[in-house]
Amino acid sequence: QVQLVQSGAEVKKPGASVKVSCKASGYTFTSYAMHWVRQAPGQRLEWMAKISVGSGNTMCSQKFRDRVTITRDTSASTAYMELSSLRSEDTAVYYCAREKYGDGWFGPWGQGTLVTVSS
Amino acid sequence: QSALTQPASVSGSPGQSITISCTGTSSDVGGYNYVSWYQQHPGKVPKLMISEVTNRPSGVSNRFSGAKSGNTASLTISGLQAEDEADYYCSSYTSSTTFVFGTGTKVTVL
């Protein structure tokens, strides 16, 4: 079955970077886009960025454009999200979610990765 | 990109129908039929409930339905059940080729 498995929880200091992975299985990795969405504690879902896995093209929310890097390793069926210059407000659960090109909806989702930013 | 506007909370008794609105602009909700809805129980992963404004994925109860008029989309839950108590988020594609989520709505079953 289609599954997205993310890397484990991280604790980082302010100013550091974090890289979260999302390993896909059960489908042709390059035939879909991968999105990254985050959710701060008690807050709403927030769309961050996407990568068209086949081409490697990326698109980011303007809010994160200077700090987020989205990549993929097609040989490993894994997508990555790296967020730099971390601050306390970046403490959140980060999700990856699959989108069939042009369908405009997300599913399935990874299990989420908690990133805690604390000095 | 500002978040789409949803009511903070909606409540109803078992068996009743409720509707959650999702208001955007002509650059997102009003401009595209790429509005989707997600259900999220506390501590759980979001689950797709409606795609492309009105489409219900297999496995989702037919008590859930979606619609859109102008810049406002809506999710209706009919025959409200205790298990429907959760947070609900809308999402839309935008003219900037990005996506935006709504502010979220907490549904309470009285």
Side-chain angles (χ1 to χ4, degrees):
Chain A
Q1 75 282 19
V2 177
Q3 199 172 8
L4 303 178
V5 178
Q6 298 183 222
S7 48
E10 303 259 15
V11 179
K12 296 291 184 180
K13 292 193 182 303
S17 297
V18 68
K19 191 171 186 177
V20 179
S21 67
C22 172
K23 182 169 178 58
S25 60
Y27 70 96
T28 302
F29 185 56
T30 53
S31 296
Y32 293 78
M34 195 70 78
H35 294 251
W36 291 90
V37 176
R38 79 175 187 180
Q39 187 171 38
Q43 301 301 310
R44 69 177 186 91
L45 299 173
E46 184 173 29
W47 186 84
M48 298 179 68
K50 67 173 272 190
I51 184 166
S52 296
V53 174
S55 65
N57 291 337
T58 61
M59 175 59 68
C60 296
S61 166
Q62 191 160 3
K63 177 176 178 177
F64 301 103
R65 198 148 290 166
D66 295 336
R67 298 197 295 137
V68 74
T69 304
I70 309 296
T71 56
R72 90 290 192 226
D73 179 346
T74 56
S75 66
S77 296
T78 302
Y80 301 91
M81 186 284 298
E82 184 170 21
L83 187 62
S84 62
S85 302
L86 290 169
R87 37 218 190 216
S88 59
E89 310 91 88
D90 294 318
T91 294
V93 175
Y94 290 77
Y95 294 101
C96 60
R98 186 188 77 164
E99 179 211 1
K100 188 174 182 183
Y101 293 127
D103 276 3
W105 51 266
F106 314 125
W109 295 55
Q111 84 275 20
T113 296
L114 175 62
V115 175
T116 302
V117 183
S118 173
S119 55
Chain B
Q1 179 74 47
S2 298
L4 307 175
T5 301
Q6 299 180 230
S9 62
V10 174
S11 62
S13 299
Q16 286 187 327
S17 292
I18 62 170
T19 297
I20 303 168
S21 61
C22 169
T23 300
T25 69
S26 58
S27 296
D28 38 65
V29 173
Y32 307 93
N33 287 327
Y34 294 128
V35 176
S36 51
W37 289 89
Y38 303 86
Q39 176 192 64
Q40 187 180 36
H41 287 106
K44 301 297 186 182
V45 176
K47 175 187 175 184
L48 176 71
M49 304 302 284
I50 295 289
S51 66
E52 296 170 273
V53 180
T54 60
N55 295 343
R56 193 174 50 248
S58 62
V60 172
S61 171
N62 59 9
R63 298 184 297 104
F64 291 83
S65 61
K68 191 182 84 166
S69 178
N71 295 338
T72 298
S74 59
L75 173 72
T76 296
I77 308 175
S78 58
L80 199 60
Q81 299 180 1
E83 68 207 47
D84 301 331
E85 188 162 292
D87 293 327
Y88 291 82
Y89 295 92
C90 59
S91 170
S92 176
Y93 180 72
T94 82
S95 59
S96 302
T97 68
T98 60
F99 285 80
V100 62
F101 281 96
T103 50
T105 298
K106 181 177 180 59
V107 168
T108 301
V109 181
L110 302 171

